[in-house]
Amino acid sequence: MTKITKVGMLGLGSMGQKHVKNLLELPNVEVAAICGSTIDKAVAFSMEYTGGSARAYDSFDDMLDEEALDAVYICIPPFAHNGQVEKAASKGVAVFIEKPIAFDTTTAERMTAAVERAGVVSLVGYNYRFGGAVQELKRMIEDGRAGVPTLFEGRFYCNSLHSPWWSDRSRSGGQVFEQAIHIYDLALHFFGIPDRISGFTANLGHLETPGYTIEDTSVGSVRFRSGAMASICASNCAVPTEWDCTFTVICSKVTARFAHGNSAEFVFTDGETPVRQRYETHLDGHAEETRSFIAAVRGEGPEVCPIREGLLSLRLVENVMQSADDNGRQIAYVL
């Protein structure tokens, strides 16, 4: 008899909705429990997405105590983390957690230690890592085809106010924490451990916007232990309804220009003349990360992007913001 993997969901926003839909597409997976801020919201969510089969909760502790779960998805804003990961891990429940994994590295370190101490599977929702073109460049760096990694240049440009909590730095951490962290994480994914970081931020276009206390313009510079470097810019003053998350990676044997995680032009520069190659896939990064997570929970695949990766990227953006708060002072990255 095939074992059913039972999953609980905490957080009923856009990411919770996306993950539930992807889970329901997988064989032998049951979304067994739903936890929201109110029981009415949880019941409505369960009815809409599972036909009411998932039990509804307004207490994460009760859900963990009453359900025999194999895994939980934690899809709540960074300010709302107050021990959910640690409690799940202590009960032997695998954890999928959305980025950023916490509001500060002290909390993230505690969460990471709990998961690693319990030995449970974890995955951080860096869906950009699961793009086909991103995975291809990662393979090329690892097997030497790309040559020496030298420079990462990336951007996250948009123009949106999002939910009220997002534009409040005391609750979200800001655009660097909440959005551009995807791009910083890719630089870390390709180049390894950072060495020195500096950053600048400003609110230039939203001074008159009520409740807007985060940056809308930022630049971060990173030098990695390998000597490679990164420059990452973010803006919330760009074109409305457009999301520009493009990036370029330059290695000694290939320059990779990414339109997004699934689409890149690889220009091979180790011959007499450059050779250009388009790399196009149509993978759904969110679906791929869920497929990978469930496989790892079942022991059918490797643990990809575990919670320690979320700690490393969180520390990187925290350093960028610390530098910016101190007029661009260079920060040493400490593991």
Side-chain angles (χ1 to χ4, degrees):
M1 182 175 178
T2 303
K3 184 179 184 300
I4 302 298
T5 302
K6 294 190 175 184
V7 181
M9 179 68 60
L10 172 64
L12 311 183
S14 60
M15 295 313 302
Q17 296 165 27
K18 189 181 296 289
H19 291 312
V20 162
K21 291 177 182 177
N22 288 329
L23 284 163
L24 293 173
E25 292 293 320
L26 296 179
N28 303 314
V29 171
E30 177 188 354
V31 178
I34 300 293
C35 183
S37 57
T38 70
I39 193 67
D40 288 344
K41 290 180 180 179
V43 168
F45 189 99
S46 176
M47 288 299 299
E48 180 175 359
Y49 292 100
T50 73
S53 65
R55 290 184 62 185
Y57 293 87
D58 59 4
S59 166
F60 185 72
D61 289 355
D62 288 349
M63 183 174 76
L64 284 180
D65 289 341
E66 296 177 16
E67 302 289 338
L69 299 175
D70 299 297
V72 292
Y73 275 62
I74 298 179
C75 307
I76 53 179
F79 69 85
H81 289 282
N82 59 5
Q84 297 93 340
V85 167
E86 296 93 316
K87 291 172 184 175
S90 71
K91 290 181 175 291
V93 178
V95 175
F96 181 110
I97 180 169
E98 271 301 338
K99 43 54 62 185
I101 66 169
F103 196 65
D104 59 81
T105 54
T106 299
T107 303
E109 286 169 349
R110 185 172 63 246
M111 294 159 63
T112 301
V115 167
E116 293 180 346
R117 184 169 55 249
V120 298
V121 168
S122 62
L123 190 147
V124 181
Y126 284 121
N127 58 291
Y128 288 26
R129 291 193 181 197
F130 290 83
V134 167
Q135 294 182 61
E136 176 64 9
L137 180 60
K138 179 67 171 176
R139 287 189 290 266
M140 291 168 61
I141 291 173
E142 290 178 340
D143 66 22
R145 284 178 292 155
V148 178
T150 67
L151 182 67
F152 180 101
E153 184 263 326
R155 60 207 64 83
F156 197 114
Y157 298 160
C158 63
N159 192 329
S160 177
L161 294 181
H162 305 283
S163 301
W165 66 265
W166 184 85
S167 58
D168 180 353
R169 184 172 176 181
S170 69
R171 303 180 77 197
S172 72
Q175 187 186 28
V176 170
F177 256 75
E178 256 295 302
Q179 292 181 330
I181 191 170
H182 273 298
I183 309 301
Y184 284 95
D185 176 72
L186 283 175
L188 187 149
H189 183 53
F190 289 133
F191 288 179
I193 301 300
D195 177 27
R196 310 289 294 189
I197 298 104
S198 62
F200 292 94
T201 64
N203 176 10
L204 301 175
H206 294 83
L207 294 174
E208 306 301 322
T209 303
Y212 196 100
T213 62
I214 67 171
E215 78 285 357
D216 62 17
T217 307
S218 66
V219 177
S221 298
V222 185
R223 185 181 71 197
F224 293 83
R225 290 184 179 178
S226 66
M229 304 177 197
S231 173
I232 298 169
C233 301
S235 173
N236 196 31
C237 299
V239 183
T241 73
E242 290 187 10
W243 302 84
D244 180 353
C245 305
T246 53
F247 51 98
T248 298
V249 184
I250 301 176
C251 301
S252 62
K253 294 182 180 179
V254 65
T255 293
R257 301 187 179 106
F258 286 82
H260 50 75
N262 279 322
S263 176
E265 179 188 49
F266 294 141
V267 185
F268 296 90
T269 56
D270 56 340
E272 292 185 4
T273 59
V275 176
R276 300 175 185 273
Q277 180 183 101
R278 292 298 309 177
Y279 196 98
E280 300 280 347
T281 60
H282 301 281
L283 298 177
D284 180 331
H286 292 106
E288 289 300 311
E289 63 187 4
T290 278
R291 192 172 291 112
S292 175
F293 175 61
I294 295 300
V297 170
R298 292 170 169 168
E300 298 172 353
E303 187 177 18
V304 179
C305 199
I307 193 168
R308 181 159 292 276
E309 295 291 291
L311 170 60
L312 295 178
S313 57
L314 180 68
R315 179 172 285 118
L316 176 54
V317 296
E318 187 176 72
N319 286 167
V320 171
M321 297 303 291
Q322 289 171 342
S323 173
D325 288 343
D326 199 11
N327 297 312
R329 178 177 63 88
Q330 195 174 87
I331 304 288
Y333 187 91
V334 179
L335 281 174

Tab-separated table of all heavy atoms in Angstrom, residues 297-332:
chain	number	residue	atom	x	y	z
A	297	VAL	N	11.325	14.478	1.638
A	297	VAL	CA	10.579	14.007	2.805
A	297	VAL	C	10.375	12.498	2.730
A	297	VAL	O	10.462	11.786	3.736
A	297	VAL	CB	9.217	14.740	2.904
A	297	VAL	CG1	8.329	14.093	3.974
A	297	VAL	CG2	9.428	16.220	3.219
A	298	ARG	N	10.142	11.996	1.530
A	298	ARG	CA	9.907	10.557	1.337
A	298	ARG	C	11.206	9.759	1.227
A	298	ARG	O	11.169	8.529	1.101
A	298	ARG	CB	9.084	10.348	0.064
A	298	ARG	CG	7.658	10.855	0.163
A	298	ARG	CD	6.982	10.832	-1.194
A	298	ARG	NE	5.545	11.061	-1.084
A	298	ARG	CZ	4.747	11.320	-2.116
A	298	ARG	NH1	5.253	11.376	-3.347
A	298	ARG	NH2	3.470	11.518	-1.930
A	299	GLY	N	12.336	10.439	1.258
A	299	GLY	CA	13.600	9.745	1.093
A	299	GLY	C	13.882	9.338	-0.332
A	299	GLY	O	14.698	8.443	-0.586
A	300	GLU	N	13.218	10.023	-1.278
A	300	GLU	CA	13.351	9.670	-2.691
A	300	GLU	C	14.221	10.663	-3.467
A	300	GLU	O	14.326	10.551	-4.689
A	300	GLU	CB	11.955	9.615	-3.328
A	300	GLU	CG	11.063	8.551	-2.704
A	300	GLU	CD	9.626	8.631	-3.193
A	300	GLU	OE1	9.315	9.606	-3.923
A	300	GLU	OE2	8.825	7.750	-2.840
A	301	GLY	N	14.828	11.603	-2.788
A	301	GLY	CA	15.660	12.594	-3.461
A	301	GLY	C	16.476	13.360	-2.444
A	301	GLY	O	16.248	13.257	-1.229
A	302	PRO	N	17.449	14.149	-2.913
A	302	PRO	CA	18.313	14.896	-2.000
A	302	PRO	C	17.580	16.063	-1.354
A	302	PRO	O	16.557	16.544	-1.850
A	302	PRO	CB	19.434	15.395	-2.924
A	302	PRO	CG	18.766	15.531	-4.258
A	302	PRO	CD	17.790	14.391	-4.333
A	303	GLU	N	18.111	16.531	-0.241
A	303	GLU	CA	17.591	17.732	0.417
A	303	GLU	C	18.190	18.944	-0.286
A	303	GLU	O	19.399	19.171	-0.238
A	303	GLU	CB	17.967	17.719	1.900
A	303	GLU	CG	17.347	18.833	2.703
A	303	GLU	CD	17.699	18.730	4.181
A	303	GLU	OE1	18.663	18.022	4.520
A	303	GLU	OE2	17.008	19.363	4.991
A	304	VAL	N	17.359	19.711	-0.957
A	304	VAL	CA	17.806	20.844	-1.763
A	304	VAL	C	17.441	22.151	-1.052
A	304	VAL	O	16.311	22.307	-0.591
A	304	VAL	CB	17.155	20.801	-3.162
A	304	VAL	CG1	17.590	21.997	-3.997
A	304	VAL	CG2	17.521	19.505	-3.872
A	305	CYS	N	18.373	23.064	-0.961
A	305	CYS	CA	18.148	24.371	-0.344
A	305	CYS	C	17.580	24.252	1.072
A	305	CYS	O	16.500	24.783	1.369
A	305	CYS	CB	17.238	25.237	-1.217
A	305	CYS	SG	17.335	27.012	-0.846
A	306	PRO	N	18.298	23.570	1.969
A	306	PRO	CA	17.820	23.422	3.348
A	306	PRO	C	17.859	24.755	4.095
A	306	PRO	O	18.372	25.760	3.595
A	306	PRO	CB	18.802	22.415	3.942
A	306	PRO	CG	20.056	22.594	3.138
A	306	PRO	CD	19.589	22.909	1.755
A	307	ILE	N	17.367	24.753	5.307
A	307	ILE	CA	17.166	25.995	6.050
A	307	ILE	C	18.465	26.772	6.275
A	307	ILE	O	18.445	28.003	6.363
A	307	ILE	CB	16.441	25.714	7.392
A	307	ILE	CG1	15.935	27.029	8.007
A	307	ILE	CG2	17.327	24.919	8.325
A	307	ILE	CD1	14.978	26.827	9.166
A	308	ARG	N	19.600	26.097	6.347
A	308	ARG	CA	20.861	26.840	6.527
A	308	ARG	C	21.118	27.770	5.353
A	308	ARG	O	21.719	28.834	5.529
A	308	ARG	CB	22.034	25.865	6.726
A	308	ARG	CG	23.377	26.576	6.933
A	308	ARG	CD	24.400	25.707	7.605
A	308	ARG	NE	24.042	25.415	8.982
A	308	ARG	CZ	24.301	26.212	10.020
A	308	ARG	NH1	24.926	27.374	9.817
A	308	ARG	NH2	23.956	25.880	11.237
A	309	GLU	N	20.692	27.401	4.146
A	309	GLU	CA	20.825	28.307	3.007
A	309	GLU	C	20.004	29.580	3.232
A	309	GLU	O	20.407	30.674	2.845
A	309	GLU	CB	20.373	27.604	1.728
A	309	GLU	CG	21.220	26.423	1.316
A	309	GLU	CD	22.602	26.849	0.858
A	309	GLU	OE1	22.694	27.483	-0.211
A	309	GLU	OE2	23.574	26.547	1.581
A	310	GLY	N	18.846	29.420	3.871
A	310	GLY	CA	18.038	30.583	4.194
A	310	GLY	C	18.705	31.480	5.223
A	310	GLY	O	18.573	32.713	5.169
A	311	LEU	N	19.422	30.879	6.160
A	311	LEU	CA	20.184	31.657	7.138
A	311	LEU	C	21.302	32.438	6.463
A	311	LEU	O	21.520	33.625	6.750
A	311	LEU	CB	20.762	30.724	8.206
A	311	LEU	CG	21.787	31.329	9.168
A	311	LEU	CD1	21.186	32.491	9.964
A	311	LEU	CD2	22.335	30.250	10.114
A	312	LEU	N	22.025	31.791	5.537
A	312	LEU	CA	23.139	32.458	4.867
A	312	LEU	C	22.672	33.659	4.050
A	312	LEU	O	23.294	34.728	4.080
A	312	LEU	CB	23.867	31.465	3.958
A	312	LEU	CG	24.568	30.288	4.651
A	312	LEU	CD1	25.194	29.361	3.615
A	312	LEU	CD2	25.620	30.776	5.639
A	313	SER	N	21.575	33.506	3.316
A	313	SER	CA	21.087	34.618	2.492
A	313	SER	C	20.480	35.713	3.360
A	313	SER	O	20.605	36.910	3.050
A	313	SER	CB	20.080	34.119	1.456
A	313	SER	OG	19.014	33.451	2.083
A	314	LEU	N	19.825	35.331	4.456
A	314	LEU	CA	19.285	36.336	5.378
A	314	LEU	C	20.410	37.174	5.974
A	314	LEU	O	20.313	38.403	6.068
A	314	LEU	CB	18.481	35.664	6.483
A	314	LEU	CG	17.872	36.620	7.503
A	314	LEU	CD1	16.775	37.468	6.882
A	314	LEU	CD2	17.339	35.857	8.722
A	315	ARG	N	21.486	36.501	6.374
A	315	ARG	CA	22.615	37.242	6.934
A	315	ARG	C	23.192	38.208	5.904
A	315	ARG	O	23.605	39.331	6.237
A	315	ARG	CB	23.693	36.273	7.414
A	315	ARG	CG	24.928	36.982	7.981
A	315	ARG	CD	25.907	36.022	8.627
A	315	ARG	NE	25.410	35.569	9.913
A	315	ARG	CZ	25.124	34.311	10.218
A	315	ARG	NH1	25.261	33.367	9.296
A	315	ARG	NH2	24.698	33.979	11.415
A	316	LEU	N	23.203	37.801	4.643
A	316	LEU	CA	23.743	38.665	3.590
A	316	LEU	C	22.919	39.942	3.459
A	316	LEU	O	23.469	41.052	3.452
A	316	LEU	CB	23.771	37.898	2.266
A	316	LEU	CG	24.209	38.671	1.019
A	316	LEU	CD1	25.567	39.351	1.225
A	316	LEU	CD2	24.254	37.743	-0.193
A	317	VAL	N	21.592	39.828	3.357
A	317	VAL	CA	20.781	41.043	3.204
A	317	VAL	C	20.751	41.846	4.494
A	317	VAL	O	20.646	43.081	4.458
A	317	VAL	CB	19.352	40.732	2.709
A	317	VAL	CG1	19.388	40.133	1.312
A	317	VAL	CG2	18.592	39.844	3.674
A	318	GLU	N	20.842	41.184	5.632
A	318	GLU	CA	20.927	41.923	6.893
A	318	GLU	C	22.195	42.766	6.923
A	318	GLU	O	22.174	43.935	7.362
A	318	GLU	CB	20.905	40.954	8.080
A	318	GLU	CG	20.830	41.642	9.429
A	318	GLU	CD	20.713	40.669	10.581
A	318	GLU	OE1	21.711	39.984	10.893
A	318	GLU	OE2	19.621	40.562	11.173
A	319	ASN	N	23.298	42.214	6.410
A	319	ASN	CA	24.548	42.982	6.327
A	319	ASN	C	24.416	44.172	5.388
A	319	ASN	O	24.948	45.252	5.658
A	319	ASN	CB	25.690	42.091	5.863
A	319	ASN	CG	26.197	41.125	6.917
A	319	ASN	OD1	26.946	40.204	6.611
A	319	ASN	ND2	25.802	41.314	8.168
A	320	VAL	N	23.709	43.976	4.266
A	320	VAL	CA	23.487	45.090	3.337
A	320	VAL	C	22.749	46.224	4.040
A	320	VAL	O	23.126	47.403	3.932
A	320	VAL	CB	22.690	44.614	2.102
A	320	VAL	CG1	22.258	45.812	1.248
A	320	VAL	CG2	23.519	43.652	1.266
A	321	MET	N	21.699	45.891	4.777
A	321	MET	CA	20.917	46.909	5.471
A	321	MET	C	21.704	47.539	6.622
A	321	MET	O	21.605	48.754	6.868
A	321	MET	CB	19.609	46.312	5.980
A	321	MET	CG	18.687	45.812	4.877
A	321	MET	SD	18.254	47.091	3.670
A	321	MET	CE	17.220	48.157	4.669
A	322	GLN	N	22.507	46.757	7.327
A	322	GLN	CA	23.348	47.313	8.385
A	322	GLN	C	24.342	48.317	7.811
A	322	GLN	O	24.556	49.393	8.376
A	322	GLN	CB	24.092	46.188	9.107
A	322	GLN	CG	23.208	45.322	9.983
A	322	GLN	CD	23.930	44.097	10.509
A	322	GLN	OE1	24.981	43.688	9.985
A	322	GLN	NE2	23.370	43.474	11.530
A	323	SER	N	24.922	47.967	6.668
A	323	SER	CA	25.863	48.875	6.013
A	323	SER	C	25.159	50.158	5.586
A	323	SER	O	25.672	51.268	5.805
A	323	SER	CB	26.491	48.187	4.802
A	323	SER	OG	27.273	49.093	4.059
A	324	ALA	N	23.981	50.020	5.007
A	324	ALA	CA	23.235	51.193	4.551
A	324	ALA	C	22.863	52.102	5.713
A	324	ALA	O	22.916	53.338	5.602
A	324	ALA	CB	21.982	50.757	3.803
A	325	ASP	N	22.492	51.511	6.836
A	325	ASP	CA	22.142	52.306	8.017
A	325	ASP	C	23.356	53.036	8.583
A	325	ASP	O	23.205	53.991	9.349
A	325	ASP	CB	21.532	51.405	9.099
A	325	ASP	CG	20.132	50.935	8.738
A	325	ASP	OD1	19.501	51.535	7.845
A	325	ASP	OD2	19.670	49.951	9.355
A	326	ASP	N	24.538	52.563	8.220
A	326	ASP	CA	25.781	53.185	8.698
A	326	ASP	C	26.535	53.850	7.552
A	326	ASP	O	27.755	53.801	7.475
A	326	ASP	CB	26.661	52.126	9.364
A	326	ASP	CG	27.724	52.729	10.272
A	326	ASP	OD1	27.653	53.942	10.562
A	326	ASP	OD2	28.632	51.987	10.684
A	327	ASN	N	25.755	54.443	6.620
A	327	ASN	CA	26.326	55.235	5.512
A	327	ASN	C	27.294	54.450	4.637
A	327	ASN	O	28.306	54.978	4.178
A	327	ASN	CB	27.019	56.493	6.054
A	327	ASN	CG	26.055	57.428	6.735
A	327	ASN	OD1	24.994	57.740	6.190
A	327	ASN	ND2	26.389	57.864	7.945
A	328	GLY	N	26.990	53.187	4.406
A	328	GLY	CA	27.782	52.389	3.470
A	328	GLY	C	29.029	51.763	4.060
A	328	GLY	O	29.867	51.265	3.302
A	329	ARG	N	29.140	51.748	5.376
A	329	ARG	CA	30.321	51.134	5.988
A	329	ARG	C	30.429	49.669	5.576
A	329	ARG	O	29.438	48.949	5.554
A	329	ARG	CB	30.224	51.230	7.519
A	329	ARG	CG	31.399	50.560	8.259
A	329	ARG	CD	31.268	50.758	9.759
A	329	ARG	NE	30.077	50.121	10.290
A	329	ARG	CZ	30.022	48.854	10.711
A	329	ARG	NH1	31.109	48.078	10.623
A	329	ARG	NH2	28.913	48.363	11.216
A	330	GLN	N	31.635	49.247	5.276
A	330	GLN	CA	31.847	47.867	4.847
A	330	GLN	C	31.661	46.921	6.030
A	330	GLN	O	32.151	47.161	7.117
A	330	GLN	CB	33.250	47.718	4.256
A	330	GLN	CG	33.463	46.445	3.467
A	330	GLN	CD	34.808	46.415	2.795
A	330	GLN	OE1	35.779	45.998	3.388
A	330	GLN	NE2	34.877	46.867	1.555
A	331	ILE	N	30.905	45.836	5.772
A	331	ILE	CA	30.585	44.852	6.813
A	331	ILE	C	31.291	43.546	6.493
A	331	ILE	O	31.271	43.082	5.343
A	331	ILE	CB	29.059	44.587	6.895
A	331	ILE	CG1	28.292	45.890	7.126
A	331	ILE	CG2	28.738	43.553	7.941
A	331	ILE	CD1	28.427	46.473	8.481
A	332	ALA	N	31.902	42.935	7.477
A	332	ALA	CA	32.518	41.622	7.313
A	332	ALA	C	31.453	40.554	7.512
A	332	ALA	O	30.734	40.569	8.531
A	332	ALA	CB	33.659	41.425	8.300
